[in-house]
Amino acid sequence: MKLANHLLSILESLHDAVLVIARDSTIVYINNAYSVQFGVPADKLIGRKLSKVEPKARIHDVLKNGQPLINDYSYLHSLNIHVFANITPLIENGELIGAVAIMKDISEFYALQDELERYKTYSTRLEEQLHNKIFEMLESHVPVMRQAVHIARQVAESEATIMLYGETGVGKEVFARAIHEASPRRDREFVAINMASLPESLFESELFGFEDGSFTGSRKGGKKGLLELAEGGTLFLDEIGELSLFLQAKLLRVLQERLFRRVGGTNPVPLNVRIIGATNRNLNKMMETGAFRNDLYYRLHVVPIHIPPLRERKPDLPLLIHTIMGDLSMKYGKHITLTQEVYEMFEQYDWPGNVRELGNVLERMTAICPRSYFVPDDVPESIRQEREAEKMEDTTPIYEGGIGLPGAIEQTEKEMIIEALRVSRTKTAAIERLGISRKAFYQKLKKYGLL
C-alpha cells in the first residue's frame, strides 16, 4: 500500500493525529501530530501490527465489517489516554485495503469531567451539611418541638404553602428562614412582611409597588413592591391574623390568581414565590366569629406547623442559652458563663416572651456584666421577684393539729387542677375551665409537682 506524496503533505499539515493501517493491521503511517501528541516516534510504530500494540483498538472493528465509526470515543491502553476519533475504511477498486483514524486526545476533558464530578459530590455534601446546620438552631429535646422541626425539614424541598402557629417570640421567623434556606429557592430573596405593621392606606403600594406618577408624592420612576422583591424566593407573611377583612380579600385574590398589578399600572405581574404565613392568633376561632375568611384560611393552611412556647420546652434551655451566648460572645467580644443558681432562676421562670425574651435578657446581662460569669444580681428584677414569690409560697407553715386553712386551700386547689387536667383535652382547655391565667396555671403545676 503506497500513499501519494501530495496526500502525505496534506496529512502532515493536520493538527489532529492520523493513523493508517493495512488490511492485515500493519501500521503503514502516522503523521507528525500523532508523534507529538502521543509521544511516539514514527519509526517505533510503522511496520508493527496494531493488533499487537493495541488489541482492543476500535479501528479493528472497521477492518472487520467495513463500516466507519464517526465521533467515536475509546480508551487506548497502550498510550493510557482517551481519544475521540473518526475511523474510515479505505476502499480501492471496491476492495477493503485498510483503514484510517483521525484522532484527538480528550484525556484532559475526561480529567475535567472527573474533577467536575468530585466537585458535584463535594457540593452535595456541603449542601447536606448546610441543610443540617440551618436546623441546628432549632434542635430540641422536647418531642413536640422535634416534631415541628421534622415537618419543617420534610416540606422545605417542596413548594407547599406553610402556616406557622405559635405565641409571640417563639421563633416563627427563624423557622421560616430555615425552611427557605433548605429549599430550592435558597439563592433568591427571603422577604418578611409584618402584616400588622402595614397601614390599610399603604397596603397595596407597599405590597404591589406603584408606577411613576400613580399618586401625588409617589417616587419618580415608580417602586417595586415586596411581592416583586421576593420574586423566585420566599414570602413570609407574619401576623397574618391581624389583617382586616378588606385586606384579606385583596391578599386572597393575589394568592389565587398568582398575579398582581402595581398601583397605577395595567400590566399583570406574575407571582412566583413560596408562601409561608405565621400568626399567634387562633384562626379557627376567628373564622367562627367571621374575623378571618374561610377561603383565605384554607389557601394558607396547607401544612400547619405548631411551635410550642418556651415554658413547654424547658429542657431546651441549655441548648438555647448556648446558641444565644455564642452569638453574643462574638457580638460583644467577651465570653460569659451562667452559674447554677442563675440557670435555676431561668428554669423556674415561665418566659412569657418566649425565646425572644430569653435572647433579650441574655443580651442585656451580657452588655452590663463586668465578670466572666453571671450572678443572680445580673438577672433582671422581674425574674428575681417571681423567684422570691415562689420561695415564699413554698414556705407556707403547716399548723399543729392539722393542715390548717392554707393547707386545706392548697389541697383543694391541687385536686381541682388534677380534675381539670383529667377532663380537658388540652392544657389550654384546662386553663379556661379553671378561670386562671396561663402564667398562674403553670406556676401551680410546678408548685404541686404536676408538670
Side-chain angles (χ1 to χ4, degrees):
M1 178 181 176
K2 296 180 180 180
L3 295 173
N5 290 334
H6 65 281
L7 292 178
L8 288 174
S9 298
I10 294 172
L11 294 174
E12 288 298 328
S13 69
L14 295 178
H15 294 289
D16 292 334
V18 178
L19 169 74
V20 181
I21 64 173
R23 182 73 181 83
D24 63 355
S25 93
T26 300
I27 301 171
V28 297
Y29 174 78
I30 63 171
N31 67 349
N32 185 60
Y34 187 103
S35 297
V36 172
Q37 291 181 30
F38 301 150
V40 181
D43 59 5
K44 295 288 186 181
L45 280 183
I46 294 176
R48 297 181 64 185
K49 298 282 188 181
L50 184 62
S51 57
K52 300 293 185 183
V53 178
E54 190 70 41
K56 296 182 179 180
R58 299 277 285 161
I59 197 170
H60 296 311
D61 296 334
V62 175
L63 287 178
K64 287 178 184 178
N65 56 37
Q67 299 298 316
L69 292 173
I70 306 301
N71 298 334
D72 185 68
Y73 293 89
S74 62
Y75 179 74
L76 300 182
H77 294 271
S78 60
L79 298 175
N80 194 31
I81 60 172
H82 294 272
V83 295
F84 170 85
N86 289 319
I87 309 171
T88 308
L90 294 175
I91 308 295
E92 187 175 276
N93 297 325
E95 181 183 351
L96 179 68
I97 62 171
V100 58
I102 302 176
M103 298 174 285
K104 191 183 292 288
D105 184 358
I106 57 170
S107 297
E108 186 176 350
F109 168 79
Y110 270 86
L112 289 173
Q113 192 174 48
D114 290 341
E115 189 72 12
L116 178 61
E117 288 301 319
R118 284 194 291 272
Y119 274 115
K120 282 183 179 178
T121 302
Y122 180 63
S123 176
T124 300
R125 288 176 182 169
L126 283 180
E127 196 169 295
E128 290 173 355
Q129 291 174 9
L130 177 62
H131 189 284
N132 292 330
K133 183 70 177 176
I134 289 165
F135 284 98
E136 273 183 14
M137 67 183 76
L138 301 175
E139 283 185 0
S140 176
H141 297 300
V142 180
V144 65
M145 181 65 175
R146 291 170 70 91
Q147 176 65 10
V149 175
H150 174 68
I151 295 172
R153 283 179 183 271
Q154 282 187 312
V155 299
E157 290 287 335
S158 74
E159 288 292 308
T161 300
I162 298 167
M163 193 67 196
L164 302 174
Y165 293 93
E167 296 177 7
T168 298
V170 294
K172 295 187 287 294
E173 185 168 343
V174 175
F175 257 82
R177 285 187 180 275
I179 292 168
H180 169 74
E181 292 298 331
S183 77
R185 295 175 177 266
R186 66 180 68 87
D187 295 329
R188 305 303 292 270
E189 292 296 318
F190 173 89
V191 176
I193 308 173
N194 188 321
M195 309 305 277
S197 68
L198 283 180
E200 194 163 298
S201 58
L202 298 178
F203 180 85
E204 290 187 87
S205 61
E206 288 296 313
L207 210 60
F208 307 147
F210 54 83
E211 298 289 354
D212 185 14
S214 56
F215 55 87
T216 303
S218 62
R219 179 190 298 179
K220 187 176 182 180
K223 174 190 171 184
K224 284 186 177 182
L226 294 171
L227 295 182
E228 279 188 85
L229 293 176
E231 170 65 20
T234 300
L235 187 64
F236 177 51
L237 306 176
D238 198 11
E239 304 294 352
I240 195 76
E242 307 304 318
L243 282 180
S244 67
L245 288 171
F246 174 72
L247 296 183
Q248 288 177 35
K250 287 186 174 293
L251 178 62
L252 175 64
R253 184 180 180 87
V254 172
L255 298 183
Q256 283 178 331
E257 297 181 357
R258 288 280 167 170
L259 293 170
F260 63 92
R261 288 178 175 80
R262 287 183 174 186
V263 176
T266 57
N267 296 324
V269 180
L271 179 67
N272 175 25
V273 297
R274 187 346 166 28
I275 302 293
I276 301 178
T279 185
N280 59 2
R281 306 279 295 273
N282 187 327
L283 297 186
N284 276 307
K285 285 190 175 180
M286 291 181 68
M287 281 197 300
E288 292 174 6
T289 60
F292 200 85
R293 294 180 63 107
N294 291 38
D295 41 12
L296 179 57
Y297 173 83
Y298 291 115
R299 176 68 59 176
L300 295 170
H301 192 84
V302 178
V303 180
I305 298 178
H306 295 267
I307 306 171
L310 183 52
R311 63 179 170 275
E312 293 179 9
R313 44 183 297 224
K314 293 288 184 69
D316 290 341
L317 270 174
L319 281 173
L320 292 168
I321 291 171
H322 175 77
T323 300
I324 294 169
M325 290 305 299
D327 293 338
L328 292 174
S329 293
M330 294 181 64
K331 182 176 181 179
Y332 289 94
K334 51 184 177 180
H335 181 73
I336 304 177
T337 58
L338 274 72
T339 60
Q340 184 61 29
E341 190 173 2
V342 170
Y343 176 75
E344 288 175 359
M345 295 174 73
F346 277 21
E347 192 176 38
Q348 291 170 12
Y349 183 58
D350 275 341
W351 300 104
N354 294 293
V355 180
R356 183 181 298 150
E357 182 185 7
L358 174 64
N360 289 344
V361 166
L362 287 172
E363 180 162 11
R364 171 186 168 185
M365 292 169 64
T366 300
I368 64 177
C369 181
R371 299 172 302 279
S372 61
Y373 57 91
F374 292 134
V375 296
D377 284 346
D378 295 319
V379 179
E381 188 176 354
S382 58
I383 298 177
R384 296 204 308 270
Q385 287 176 343
E386 187 160 321
R387 163 88 163 166
E388 293 302 317
E390 287 182 356
K391 282 184 177 179
M392 291 181 65
E393 287 183 4
D394 292 341
T395 55
T396 302
I398 303 297
Y399 296 103
E400 293 184 9
I403 61 173
L405 180 60
I409 292 173
E410 287 185 355
Q411 183 173 331
T412 302
E413 188 175 61
K414 181 178 180 180
E415 290 173 354
M416 288 180 68
I417 293 172
I418 292 172
E419 177 64 13
L421 288 170
R422 186 183 69 81
V423 300
S424 303
R425 294 182 63 185
T426 64
K427 288 182 178 178
T428 299
I431 291 170
E432 292 175 355
R433 182 180 292 273
L434 291 167
I436 60 177
S437 69
R438 183 178 290 274
K439 183 176 180 180
F441 175 75
Y442 280 97
Q443 285 176 340
K444 294 181 185 298
L445 287 184
K446 186 172 184 65
K447 176 181 177 181
Y448 297 128
L450 300 175
L451 278 174

